[in-house]
Amino acid sequence: MIRLAVNGDYALWQQVKCRLREPVVVTLFDVSKPNPREFEYCDAVLFVQPIGFDVSLEEVLPLLNKHVLVIAGSWHSFDNFTYWTDAANRYGFPLSVVNLDHFLPSRQTIHEQLRTRKLGEPGLVRMHRWKNRDEETGNWNQRYQLPVPLVLDLELAHWLTGMSPNLVFATEASGAETDALPGRTIQVHLGYENGGMALIGYSDAFPCGAGYQSLSIIGCSGAVYADDHQNMQLLYQWNCLNALRTEEGVRPRANLAQVFVDALCNDLDLSPSVTDWQNILKLKNAAEKSLASRQAVSLEVS
């Protein structure tokens, strides 16, 4: 029996635990009202909701003497990554950091195709992430600072291809710099030593409606893609026609929790994820430097 303490939605995580192979007890906690007993009787702690490093969280950290998994982007900015790693070193709890997009069924299928080399060596990665201006995108409005969702896509490209870029070029629509457009529109171009490339686009300048994501990868032996357009369903109701997107539901969180539970049961080391994210933040810094200088930037990662 595995006992997880989660700062998440109760109804959602009731659905999640029903999909797990191992018996799991999920305790929901409110990070703003820490209760020591919630952490005393758990085997691991999972942070999935947006949090900031305020007084309440500082009260929680000394209590986390179990394995802690944090979803990347569940903080308000990537500056808080340093706080997490420092806290893990200070209080001695094992820390792992993951991108929830790894656990989308569509992304897992693509990753499997790439891992087994069925597509050959990746040559081109193309991503779009479009959000409406009312969605929560985190605290990133400083000039030349990348939005959190775009950094998540940079990490996703690294995870899918298994390659680190050696050249980064980022550009932003000129209207965003003069406030002529609401929101921002940014593109990041990654160049790889094998001649491959990735082009990742982000915009939160759309006025209303659901967001849109697409991903396509061309390899030397084949291609694969995932597109939200394929998930749209037409609904005729009251003489009106609407397009509704079929979401992947609780499955990503169920996949995440299952991998976490399996790691706990088998005493696996998840700490390399922290090193991986340290390299991704180097990539983020290089992209921001390119955005400010309007020049390509060379990148070295460990």
Side-chain angles (χ1 to χ4, degrees):
M1 179 75 71
I2 298 294
R3 299 162 297 179
L4 293 181
V6 183
N7 76 324
D9 177 80
Y10 177 82
L12 175 63
W13 281 90
Q14 287 296 105
Q15 297 180 60
V16 167
K17 73 177 185 179
C18 294
R19 290 168 165 78
L20 303 181
R21 292 190 299 269
E22 299 290 336
V24 174
V25 174
V26 176
T27 300
L28 280 301
F29 68 92
D30 184 352
V31 72
S32 65
K33 301 175 181 178
N35 182 349
R37 295 181 61 86
E38 293 174 328
F39 305 105
E40 182 179 353
Y41 298 106
C42 71
D43 299 304
V45 184
L46 179 56
F47 286 88
V48 297
Q49 297 285 65
I51 55 175
F53 271 80
D54 52 21
V55 175
S56 60
L57 188 58
E58 289 294 340
E59 294 177 2
V60 170
L61 292 177
L63 308 175
L64 304 181
N65 58 346
K66 310 291 172 63
H67 196 118
V68 175
L69 186 147
V70 179
I71 291 181
S74 64
W75 39 63
H76 293 301
S77 78
F78 278 98
D79 294 338
N80 286 334
F81 178 84
T82 302
Y83 289 99
W84 273 112
T85 54
D86 288 348
N89 292 330
R90 187 183 316 124
Y91 300 115
F93 57 82
L95 174 68
S96 53
V97 182
V98 300
N99 183 348
L100 185 60
D101 283 358
H102 289 196
F103 304 94
L104 291 166
S106 58
R107 274 50 174 179
Q108 289 193 319
T109 299
I110 293 173
H111 183 259
E112 177 65 15
Q113 296 291 310
L114 290 164
R115 188 185 65 83
T116 56
R117 309 300 292 177
K118 292 181 179 179
L119 303 177
E121 189 172 27
L124 173 64
V125 178
R126 184 74 173 98
M127 292 189 198
H128 292 290
R129 187 189 292 261
W130 298 341
K131 304 170 72 71
N132 71 66
R133 67 188 63 156
D134 296 324
E135 290 185 75
E136 175 60 43
T137 57
N139 181 21
W140 57 269
N141 286 318
Q142 296 179 14
R143 189 178 179 86
Y144 305 129
Q145 182 176 336
L146 294 189
V148 168
L150 179 52
V151 181
L152 295 177
D153 284 345
L154 293 176
E155 190 277 339
L156 185 65
H158 172 76
W159 177 67
L160 289 172
T161 64
M163 301 188 302
S164 297
N166 59 354
L167 200 62
V168 182
F169 177 71
T171 184
E172 182 167 358
S174 59
E177 298 178 4
T178 61
D179 293 328
L181 293 175
R184 302 173 71 189
T185 299
I186 305 171
Q187 285 190 338
V188 179
H189 181 280
L190 308 177
Y192 300 98
E193 288 186 355
N194 68 348
M197 60 171 282
L199 183 59
I200 302 172
Y202 173 91
S203 179
D204 67 348
F206 294 85
C208 61
Y212 168 71
Q213 284 184 259
S214 71
L215 164 64
S216 59
I217 299 178
I218 299 176
C220 62
S221 301
V224 64
Y225 67 93
D227 196 313
D228 282 346
H229 280 166
Q230 293 186 322
N231 298 330
M232 301 301 290
Q233 308 293 324
L234 295 180
L235 173 64
Y236 292 90
Q237 188 177 38
W238 305 107
N239 296 322
C240 294
L241 175 62
N242 293 309
L244 303 178
R245 189 170 67 192
T246 303
E247 302 287 353
E248 293 181 273
V250 301
R251 177 54 57 187
R253 287 170 176 79
N255 291 339
L256 164 66
Q258 187 63 66
V259 169
F260 192 31
V261 169
D262 289 344
L264 294 173
C265 291
N266 294 288
D267 197 26
L268 299 180
D269 181 15
L270 297 179
S271 60
S273 66
V274 174
T275 302
D276 290 341
W277 271 100
Q278 288 171 340
N279 285 328
I280 295 302
L281 295 187
K282 292 179 183 178
L283 173 57
K284 166 186 174 290
N285 292 337
E288 291 174 345
K289 182 179 179 181
S290 174
L291 201 61
S293 66
R294 301 179 181 270
Q295 301 290 325
V297 174
S298 297
L299 177 69
E300 294 183 4
V301 295
S302 58

